[in-house]
């Protein structure tokens, strides 16, 4: 696919994955000089082993775009930075996530799954000096300020941004995909490159962070099952969560249901169909028209929510069928349970 794309189109495809592009002026020169840049994404298994909708569907959408743009994608499974104590639990959660991505059609062209513990153990003499070098550039006070409660930060939490920064440089990524909430990590990595005189600074594609379903909930929470859609949710659970979601009439800002349509449904289906019970079906191909109708009251939550639940369930059915019918996928799923 990349061979059929010009450099400008490849760059635009990569830009479409990001809310902010750090190092944008360097993207075109990189693509002109490198037809297959290395793009790093990561996944951190959670204590519960759950995979929320952005880690599942959102990652597949963005990774497939990066592959189409000619990138060699590496997904780093960060088994060193998790709250799980047993390595077998971590690996089971990671393998389950891989099966979720397979079910959703993640491209396997030029794709590598890496385990952080294996990569850093194999080249420990390179990795840990890099971690120490980055850490010397930042005070404990500054590292603590990156967290919501700076006065109650555990030692391992201070190391997290340093290790994320080190991962990017250690694996020699040309491009790195991470959330907007990790912007400081991108600044750390590029700042450290300048400090040591490293010319090839990584470019960062910072994607949107989906909010939680409750009013004012800026991000999804694993501790609150009603805050997000998880990839193991049943059809009825998805419908229940969306039915309860914050979605005030005529309010388009801070509306999680509209964000799900914009960042999950439209990129997946290329359209969003609303079928009101009293007729007047509408099909949206862009978020602007939908926001305009919702803001004016033409589109009501009672019509939006069932349509959103239907679309999300269509996507998740791919995962349900995969785990139901695929014997290899059932192993990691049972291990996580």
């Amino acid at each position: 696919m990349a061979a059929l794309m010009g450099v400008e189109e490849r760059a635009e495809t990569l830009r479409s994955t990001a809310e902010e592009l750090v190092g944008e002026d360097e993207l075109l020169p990189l693509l002109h000089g490198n037809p297959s840049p290395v793009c790093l994404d990561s996944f951190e298994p959670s204590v519960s082993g759950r995979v929320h909708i952005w880690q599942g569907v959102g990652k597949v959408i963005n990774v497939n775009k990066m592959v189409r743009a000619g990138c060699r994608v590496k997904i780093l499974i960060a088994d060193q930075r998790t709250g799980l104590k047993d390595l077998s639990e971590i690996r089971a959660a990671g393998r389950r996530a891989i099966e979720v991505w397979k079910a959703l059609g993640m491209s396997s062209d030029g794709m590598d799954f890496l385990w952080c513990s294996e990569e850093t153990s194999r080249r420990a003499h390179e990795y840990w000096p890099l971690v120490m070098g980055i850490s010397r550039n930042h005070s404990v006070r500054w590292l603590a300020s990156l967290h919501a409660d700076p006065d109650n930060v555990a030692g391992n939490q201070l190391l997290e941004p340093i290790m994320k920064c080190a991962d990017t440089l250690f694996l020699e990524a040309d491009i790195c995909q991470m959330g907007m909430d990790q912007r400081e990590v991108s600044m750390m990595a590029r700042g450290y490159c300048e400090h040591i005189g490293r010319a090839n600074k990584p470019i960062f594609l910072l994607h949107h962070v989906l909010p939680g379903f409750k009013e004012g909930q800026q991000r999804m929470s694993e501790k609150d099952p009603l805050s997000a859609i998880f990839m193991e949710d049943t059809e009825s659970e998805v419908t229940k969560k969306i039915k309860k979601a914050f979605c005030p009439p005529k309010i388009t800002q801070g509306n999680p249901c509209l964000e799900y349509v914009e960042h999950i449904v439209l990129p997946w289906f290329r359209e969003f169909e609303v079928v009101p019970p009293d007729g007047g079906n509408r099909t949206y191909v862009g978020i602007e028209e939908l926001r305009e109708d919702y803001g004016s009251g033409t589109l009501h939550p009672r019509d939006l929510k069932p349509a959103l639940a239907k679309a999300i369930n269509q996507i998740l059915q791919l995962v349900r069928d995969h785990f139901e019918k695929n014997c290899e996928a059932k192993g990691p799923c049972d291990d996580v349970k």
Side-chain angles (χ1 to χ4, degrees), residues 119-134:
E119 296 299 315
T120 56
S121 295
R122 187 165 55 85
R123 293 163 54 196
H125 62 289
E126 298 176 44
Y127 183 76
W128 292 110
L130 181 57
V131 170
M132 293 302 295
I134 296 168

Side-chain angles (χ1 to χ4, degrees), residues 142-321:
W142 185 83
L143 291 168
S145 73
L146 301 181
H147 296 270
D149 187 359
D151 295 328
N152 293 286
V153 180
N156 67 309
Q157 291 177 306
L158 293 176
L159 274 174
E160 282 179 9
I162 296 171
M163 293 177 72
K164 289 177 181 178
C165 176
D167 293 341
T168 304
L169 304 180
F170 174 68
L171 294 171
E172 300 179 335
D174 300 301
I175 302 170
C176 188
Q177 171 86 217
M178 56 178 58
M180 283 292 296
D181 56 345
Q182 301 297 312
R183 190 178 190 279
E184 290 296 342
V185 173
S186 72
M187 296 294 105
M188 287 173 65
R190 290 175 62 83
Y192 185 70
C193 287
E194 292 178 1
H195 177 71
I196 63 174
R198 177 171 168 169
N200 55 328
K201 295 181 288 188
I203 296 167
F204 285 83
L205 304 170
L206 303 180
H207 63 69
H208 183 75
V209 176
L210 276 182
F213 275 142
K214 296 182 179 179
E215 183 177 3
Q217 202 170 31
Q218 294 186 348
R219 55 186 300 166
M220 298 173 284
S221 172
E222 181 192 336
K223 296 178 181 179
D224 182 0
L226 293 178
S227 72
I229 301 297
F230 293 92
M231 302 311 295
E232 70 272 14
D233 284 350
T234 64
E235 185 173 347
S236 61
E237 286 173 332
V238 169
T239 302
K240 177 183 177 183
K241 289 180 180 184
I242 292 176
K243 186 176 181 179
K244 290 186 174 183
F246 177 69
C247 189
K250 299 184 179 182
I251 302 298
T252 60
Q253 296 300 315
N255 188 322
C257 290
L258 295 187
E259 297 227 5
Y260 265 63
V261 174
E262 179 178 4
H263 296 285
I264 298 292
V265 177
L266 284 173
W268 189 270
F269 292 110
R270 311 282 187 189
E271 64 179 25
F272 176 57
E273 185 179 19
V274 179
V275 183
D278 55 353
N281 298 6
R282 291 183 292 276
T283 299
Y284 298 95
V285 295
I287 192 62
E288 294 80 9
E289 184 184 3
L290 187 146
R291 286 185 180 277
E292 183 178 336
D293 277 3
Y294 194 85
S296 68
T298 302
L299 178 62
H300 194 272
R302 66 173 175 266
D303 300 325
L304 172 71
K305 286 186 172 185
L308 176 58
K310 179 182 178 181
I312 296 298
N313 271 316
Q314 279 185 263
I315 300 173
L316 264 59
Q317 195 58 46
L318 297 170
V319 179
R320 297 173 192 139
D321 291 344

Side-chain angles (χ1 to χ4, degrees), residues 30-200:
L30 170 68
L31 297 179
H32 274 292
N34 188 345
S36 303
V38 173
C39 187
L40 180 68
D41 204 336
S42 64
F43 170 73
E44 188 169 333
S46 69
V47 175
S48 70
R50 284 175 166 173
V51 178
H52 62 60
I53 194 164
W54 183 261
Q55 292 171 323
V57 181
K59 192 174 293 294
V60 169
I61 290 169
N62 282 348
V63 165
N64 286 352
K65 286 183 178 181
M66 291 185 285
V67 171
R68 287 200 299 273
C71 294
R72 290 173 291 146
V73 179
K74 298 180 180 180
I75 295 185
L76 182 69
I77 300 179
D79 52 346
Q80 287 186 331
R81 296 195 300 271
T82 179
L84 297 173
K85 298 178 181 179
D86 188 340
L87 185 60
S88 65
E89 294 178 358
I90 302 171
R91 290 298 177 92
R95 289 196 305 271
R96 183 179 185 280
I98 291 172
E99 292 298 331
V100 167
W101 299 326
K102 286 180 181 178
L104 292 168
M106 179 179 280
S107 175
S108 58
D109 294 339
M111 165 71 67
D112 288 312
F113 295 108
L114 308 176
W115 296 93
C116 188
S117 59
E118 291 181 359
E119 296 299 315
T120 56
S121 295
R122 187 165 55 85
R123 293 163 54 196
H125 62 289
E126 298 176 44
Y127 183 76
W128 292 110
L130 181 57
V131 170
M132 293 302 295
I134 296 168
S135 66
R136 281 192 289 268
N137 273 19
H138 303 282
S139 69
V140 171
R141 184 189 298 269
W142 185 83
L143 291 168
S145 73
L146 301 181
H147 296 270
D149 187 359
D151 295 328
N152 293 286
V153 180
N156 67 309
Q157 291 177 306
L158 293 176
L159 274 174
E160 282 179 9
I162 296 171
M163 293 177 72
K164 289 177 181 178
C165 176
D167 293 341
T168 304
L169 304 180
F170 174 68
L171 294 171
E172 300 179 335
D174 300 301
I175 302 170
C176 188
Q177 171 86 217
M178 56 178 58
M180 283 292 296
D181 56 345
Q182 301 297 312
R183 190 178 190 279
E184 290 296 342
V185 173
S186 72
M187 296 294 105
M188 287 173 65
R190 290 175 62 83
Y192 185 70
C193 287
E194 292 178 1
H195 177 71
I196 63 174
R198 177 171 168 169
N200 55 328

